[in-house]
Amino acid sequence: MANISTAGVDPTKMGVGRAIAVLTSGGDAQGMNAAVRATVRVGLYTGAKVFFVHEGYQGLVDGGDHIRPATWESVSMMLQLGGTVIGSARCKDFQTREGRLKAASNLVKLGVTNLCVIGGDGSLTGANIFRTEWSDLLKDLISKGKITKEEAKTSSHLNIVGMVGSIDNDFCGTDMTIGTDSALHRIIEVVDSITTTAQSVLLFCFGICSYIVTSALTHSHQRAFILEVMGRHCGYLALVTALACGADWVFIPEMPPDDGWEDHLCRRLTETRKAGSRLNVIIVAEGAINKAGKPITCDQLKDLVTKRLGYDTRATILGHVQRGGTPSAFDRVLGSRMGVEAVMALLEATPETPACVVSLSGNQAVRLPLMECVQVTKDVTVAMNEGRFDDAVKLRGRSFENNWNTYKLLAHVRPPETKSNINVAILNVGAPCAGMNAAVRAAVRIGIIQGHNMLAVHDGFEGLALEKIEPITWNIVGEWTGKGGSELGTKRVLPGKYMEEISLNIAKYNIHALVIIGGFEAFSGALEMVQGRGKYEELCIPMVIIPATVSNNLPGSDFSIGADTALNTITSTCDRIKQSAAGTKRRVFIIETMGGYCGYLATMAGLSAGADAAYIYEEKFGIRDLERNVEHLTEKMKTTVKRGLILRNENCSSNYTTDFIFNLYSEEGKGVFDCRKNVLGHMQQGGTPTPFDRNFATKMGAKAVLWLTEKLKECYRHGRIFANTPDSACVLGMRKRGLVLQPLAELKEETDFEHRIPKNQWWLKLRPIMKILAKYKISLDTSEHTLMEHVIIYFRRFS
């Protein structure tokens, strides 16, 4: 995320004398409201005037009440709402020059020269046409007497910045579009309802019986399910759904199946049944085609499976349920980050700056030339029409290609007949979290595909010492992707006191490599194992640590498996808590989150739930800060917004406890607001993993074993494995724009072991955004800003 503004410029003065209009266009997507809210509030923070354009481009053409001033309060309570509160509409008028003349006149009259458009590639292309024509439109308006020369001079240039809102994730240049993650949440809820039995019972116990109304949704019957998800031109939703649920087959438009796929599909389903599975799942994108370009439909697949195999088959078309519901935490944070970056891009633009789109690359917000991205998006369609499907996948971007390659590895390969004679052991260490099982499943299956023997170690390092080791097979992990917690069992015990027993068992079971999935104890324990290599030669084997903890506190990775699930739990709980006061005036909620000494959950939940403050260990605070927060809330209660939300990380301060803060706010708020407190506790560790955690864990588990396989080849000497170099024990993590492996020895220097956190944490740069969006007057570090980048196209072919 770029810091706000350029060096030497007061960000609160950047927008003075300028006006910004924001509109949403095309199909609605969850998270658009977060982007609108951030655009409005950051625009106002910079001193600019901000206008809503209601009903998309139609409102821009019609003008009048469709273009209204936006205020701080007018975007309150928007974060948790699906769709777009300012409306979206298809507009044929704007596609004509006459319509664009009306739109230009409306903007000039209001002094708006900065337009923020949230929509798909069609909407953004329309914005670029508008910008390109702007000078000629002004000349026409002057000649027709619609505007004066002075007005034209004041509005001589139009700046355009786009944010992509589309559940299909079909815009090239960004890893994720606003709304995609929320759509995946809806899809996975349905898939889980279909594919689980034990979970259905658990959900029923919690009263969520709507998901299990039909008797057809359990493993009591042997059935095949075919689910059609959205994606007329892009198979992202189908592909990630297939990864997240371990589907037997996925059909996507970018990569049609080979001729004779019907026989291949039936053979695979038959083999799966023979292996003991009682359930088959096929995911199909609505735009799926065969090599000849003919559609592959749900009904066609149902007839095939029913007639050829005689299976009891059910077909479900999910439709617009994928657009509905409350936005996920990821989409709220993404929309907020994009909104901030969009305002900065608008205010920093010059007449020579091309129209840009704000995108997400890995974990970085980037600015890309709008029309370059639109061109690559069109290139995908051209490649598909010309039958260049490999090119189409590559043009979709690194994230899409990685998903496709991972799915092919996990779903389309039979275990090799020749074995590697390598034994790889997998263990979970630390507290359980959602997504651990998905990582284990991927690691086991990739290991088997590589020809390795896979061993499960129960109860972490303690189990490795106490010989709780057994083979784990392809089928055992078959349905683990959607299971929360840890099926292997996990403990916080470190290996130090068991080093003798662990070394003996590594030798006894002839273990050649270790996959350690867990939190800070996994990191610390692996360091102890590396330190033990000098005394115990058996420990000289490659090791890889996959970060998995709700606290997101491991060095070497921006994200840990499980953190997204915990964040969504906190966010949805905050929504419900705030909603509980809908009929009550002036109430402040104080909520304690997990995280140890790491303030990630509190900060990100603050962004996604719209908190007024989030107290964390990394950002020291005192009684004066608490006093300022109370005064801030007192002023807020004088507006139309009568609710406040305060988050506190569990270990942010030993003295300013949750009870202390609750009592202080209650005392100081007497006569103005009353307080309620909630300690969320272990509910943050539970639940089924989110689509992000399933997908992330699957790719991490796969990459970890592929890396170990290569490292084992390097370490093979004189008929045995011997690994004692620093790069033979690594943490696999997401850093900025990709997955990287870093030696434990290097990461040791980056770690605050007393407080179990990295010394530098990327998300701290997002805290000013949270404060700005909560209307705090703060100064910002303005020494960095995001520069325009270019889309690098490797596989475009020109005719």
Side-chain angles (χ1 to χ4, degrees):
M1 179 69 206
N3 284 341
I4 312 298
S5 179
T6 52
V9 178
D10 180 355
T12 63
K13 301 290 190 294
M14 285 179 68
V16 173
R18 305 175 73 176
I20 299 170
V22 57
L23 64 86
T24 54
S25 177
D28 62 322
Q30 306 98 315
M32 280 184 166
N33 289 325
V36 170
R37 172 180 178 267
T39 303
V40 169
R41 290 193 168 178
V42 176
L44 295 173
Y45 165 83
T46 66
K49 290 181 180 179
V50 185
F51 293 88
F52 290 134
V53 180
H54 291 267
E55 308 308 328
Y57 283 119
Q58 193 64 56
L60 207 61
V61 172
D62 294 343
D65 286 342
H66 288 94
I67 307 176
R68 305 176 206 162
T71 66
W72 200 275
E73 295 166 37
S74 63
V75 293
S76 181
M77 299 303 290
M78 284 175 62
L79 277 171
Q80 68 271 32
L81 300 178
T84 164
V85 298
I86 59 174
S88 179
R90 310 286 180 185
C91 179
K92 291 184 179 180
D93 291 341
F94 192 76
Q95 295 173 16
T96 68
R97 184 175 175 80
E98 187 61 34
R100 293 193 291 275
L101 272 171
K102 291 179 181 178
S105 176
N106 291 329
L107 292 182
V108 169
K109 292 295 183 183
L110 292 170
V112 175
T113 56
N114 299 280
L115 185 61
C116 180
V117 178
I118 308 167
D121 60 336
S123 302
L124 299 183
T125 301
N128 189 67
I129 293 170
F130 192 38
R131 175 183 178 274
T132 305
E133 290 182 342
W134 186 255
S135 295
D136 290 337
L137 293 173
L138 295 189
K139 289 176 184 176
D140 284 3
L141 289 170
I142 293 171
S143 67
K144 292 179 179 181
K146 300 287 186 183
I147 63 173
T148 66
K149 288 184 179 180
E150 289 73 22
E151 287 174 326
K153 186 177 180 181
T154 306
S155 303
S156 60
H157 178 70
L158 179 68
N159 295 320
I160 295 284
V161 170
M163 288 181 269
V164 190
S166 166
I167 69 167
D168 292 339
N169 203 32
D170 57 353
F171 191 82
C172 294
T174 186
D175 288 348
M176 287 287 275
T177 56
I178 297 168
T180 302
D181 187 67
S182 299
L184 286 168
H185 274 250
R186 302 293 90 76
I187 295 167
I188 292 301
E189 286 170 8
V190 175
V191 173
D192 281 351
S193 298
I194 288 172
T195 58
T196 59
T197 302
Q199 192 178 8
S200 296
V201 175
L202 180 62
L203 286 171
F204 186 81
C205 291
F206 279 94
I208 311 176
C209 55
S210 59
Y211 289 140
I212 50 170
V213 170
T214 63
S215 61
L217 302 187
T218 71
H219 293 190
S220 304
H221 300 85
Q222 288 190 339
R223 281 185 173 148
F225 285 91
I226 302 162
L227 283 89
E228 181 188 291
V229 301
M230 281 186 169
R232 275 177 297 172
H233 308 294
C234 178
Y236 184 88
L237 288 178
L239 178 55
V240 174
T241 298
L243 266 177
C245 72
D248 295 284
W249 198 292
V250 62
F251 292 92
I252 60 174
E254 291 86 350
M255 189 57 74
D258 294 329
D259 293 338
W261 61 267
E262 295 91 345
D263 295 333
H264 190 181
L265 172 62
C266 291
R267 185 168 63 251
R268 170 138 356 112
L269 298 183
T270 303
E271 288 173 353
T272 306
R273 286 289 173 95
K274 286 180 179 177
S277 175
R278 299 178 62 84
L279 181 73
N280 295 117
V281 177
I282 300 166
I283 307 296
V284 55
E286 62 179 328
I289 53 174
N290 62 21
K291 283 285 174 66
K294 301 294 184 183
I296 295 175
T297 67
C298 249
D299 288 339
Q300 179 186 345
L301 292 169
K302 180 181 178 181
D303 289 344
L304 172 69
V305 175
T306 303
K307 290 176 182 176
R308 286 242 198 137
L309 302 177
Y311 290 176
D312 187 359
T313 308
R314 298 287 185 272
T316 303
I317 298 174
L318 296 189
H320 275 69
V321 69
Q322 295 156 88
R323 289 194 187 277
T326 186
S328 66
F330 182 96
D331 273 330
R332 300 186 200 194
V333 173
L334 178 63
S336 298
R337 292 179 69 183
M338 298 299 99
V340 174
E341 195 65 49
V343 172
M344 292 303 114
L346 284 170
L347 298 182
E348 291 166 6
T350 66
E352 291 72 40
T353 306
C356 82
V357 62
V358 179
S359 300
L360 185 73
S361 178
N363 190 32
Q364 298 291 104
V366 297
R367 301 177 193 175
L368 300 172
L370 171 58
M371 293 317 293
E372 285 187 21
C373 295
V374 170
Q375 184 58 54
V376 181
T377 303
K378 290 178 178 177
D379 287 346
V380 177
T381 304
V382 172
M384 290 163 59
N385 291 338
E386 294 178 356
R388 294 184 287 109
F389 297 109
D390 286 334
D391 287 358
V393 169
K394 292 179 186 299
L395 285 165
R396 280 287 181 217
R398 182 184 58 218
S399 176
F400 189 98
E401 187 179 10
N402 288 344
N403 285 328
W404 175 246
N405 290 335
T406 303
Y407 179 78
K408 284 195 300 181
L409 272 175
L410 288 168
H412 287 220
V413 182
R414 293 182 182 180
E417 294 181 7
T418 55
K419 298 291 185 181
S420 67
N421 294 320
I422 292 292
N423 299 319
V424 179
I426 304 176
L427 59 157
N428 293 343
V429 178
C433 67
M436 275 184 164
N437 295 319
V440 172
R441 175 185 178 273
V444 167
R445 290 199 164 181
I446 292 295
I448 291 170
I449 288 165
Q450 299 292 311
H452 307 329
N453 301 308
M454 304 304 292
L455 300 173
V457 180
H458 299 278
D459 297 338
F461 289 118
E462 183 178 283
L464 192 57
L466 301 180
E467 229 175 313
K468 296 182 179 180
I469 305 166
E470 63 181 4
I472 187 165
T473 64
W474 185 280
N475 288 335
I476 286 175
V477 298
E479 295 170 9
W480 282 21
T481 310
K483 291 186 176 181
S486 167
E487 292 292 300
L488 292 183
T490 179
K491 289 191 175 181
R492 297 180 182 271
V493 176
L494 295 177
K497 64 179 181 180
Y498 289 117
M499 211 61 83
E500 178 86 26
E501 294 87 344
I502 286 173
S503 62
L504 289 172
N505 284 332
I506 287 175
K508 180 177 179 179
Y509 286 87
N510 200 21
I511 294 171
H512 300 105
L514 284 176
V515 178
I516 305 169
I517 303 168
F520 205 85
E521 289 86 359
F523 177 70
S524 301
L527 274 172
E528 289 184 3
M529 297 274 280
V530 170
Q531 290 163 2
R533 284 174 169 177
K535 185 176 180 181
Y536 301 100
E537 196 174 286
E538 295 84 357
L539 303 181
C540 294
I541 57 175
M543 306 175 197
V544 61
I545 294 86
I546 299 177
T549 167
V550 302
S551 300
N552 198 37
N553 63 331
L554 260 69
S557 189
D558 292 346
F559 296 108
S560 295
I561 295 165
D564 186 69
T565 304
L567 179 57
N568 275 278
T569 299
I570 297 167
T571 301
S572 62
T573 304
C574 287
D575 287 348
R576 293 178 184 181
I577 287 171
K578 287 166 71 177
Q579 190 181 48
S580 72
T584 307
K585 297 297 183 184
R586 303 192 184 119
R587 178 160 288 172
V588 173
F589 296 97
I590 295 156
I591 298 174
E592 181 186 299
T593 68
M594 274 185 165
Y597 285 96
C598 180
Y600 175 83
L601 287 179
T603 296
M604 301 306 274
L607 261 176
S608 62
D612 295 280
Y615 300 122
I616 63 170
Y617 167 78
E618 294 92 342
E619 191 173 280
K620 301 303 180 188
F621 63 97
I623 195 66
R624 296 288 174 267
D625 299 292
L626 294 170
E627 185 180 15
R628 277 192 292 271
N629 294 149
V630 173
E631 291 170 356
H632 169 82
L633 283 166
T634 302
E635 288 301 307
K636 182 180 180 180
M637 296 300 166
K638 296 176 183 177
T639 70
T640 58
V641 184
K642 306 296 185 183
R643 276 165 284 186
L645 178 65
I646 305 294
L647 298 177
R648 179 189 176 274
N649 166 246
E650 58 185 346
N651 286 345
C652 66
S653 170
S654 57
N655 293 314
Y656 297 125
T657 63
T658 301
D659 285 338
F660 177 94
I661 292 173
F662 169 73
N663 290 333
L664 175 68
Y665 272 71
S666 297
E667 183 64 31
E668 296 298 318
K670 276 183 178 176
V672 181
F673 57 80
D674 63 358
C675 293
R676 297 289 186 273
K677 70 175 177 181
N678 295 79
V679 178
L680 301 186
H682 278 70
M683 67 180 292
Q684 297 159 84
Q685 282 185 334
T688 57
T690 58
F692 179 94
D693 275 332
R694 298 183 199 202
N695 189 22
F696 186 46
T698 298
K699 286 192 282 193
M700 294 277 272
K703 187 172 179 68
V705 174
L706 292 174
W707 176 80
L708 282 176
T709 301
E710 292 304 310
K711 188 57 65 176
L712 285 163
K713 292 175 184 175
E714 292 177 21
C715 300
Y716 187 77
R717 298 284 186 278
H718 309 297
R720 61 188 289 261
I721 302 295
F722 185 79
N724 66 347
T725 57
D727 66 351
S728 64
C730 288
V731 171
L732 173 60
M734 167 70 82
R735 296 302 288 266
K736 294 185 177 179
R737 298 194 183 184
L739 294 179
V740 295
L741 286 132
Q742 292 177 267
L744 288 169
E746 290 179 10
L747 295 174
K748 185 178 180 181
E749 303 304 315
E750 300 177 17
T751 307
D752 175 354
F753 282 93
E754 180 185 354
H755 299 103
R756 297 159 58 94
I757 54 175
K759 291 178 181 176
N760 296 301
Q761 301 184 84
W762 67 272
W763 51 265
L764 286 169
K765 289 185 177 181
L766 300 185
R767 285 186 62 80
I769 297 173
M770 184 189 71
K771 293 177 182 179
I772 290 170
L773 296 178
K775 208 176 182 179
Y776 283 92
K777 295 177 181 178
I778 61 169
S779 58
L780 296 169
D781 173 11
T782 57
S783 59
E784 300 176 18
H785 81 156
T786 302
L787 298 174
M788 183 87 77
E789 299 186 11
H790 288 277
V791 184
I792 301 172
I793 307 166
Y794 295 101
F795 299 97
R796 184 187 297 178
R797 295 180 183 175
F798 297 93
S799 56

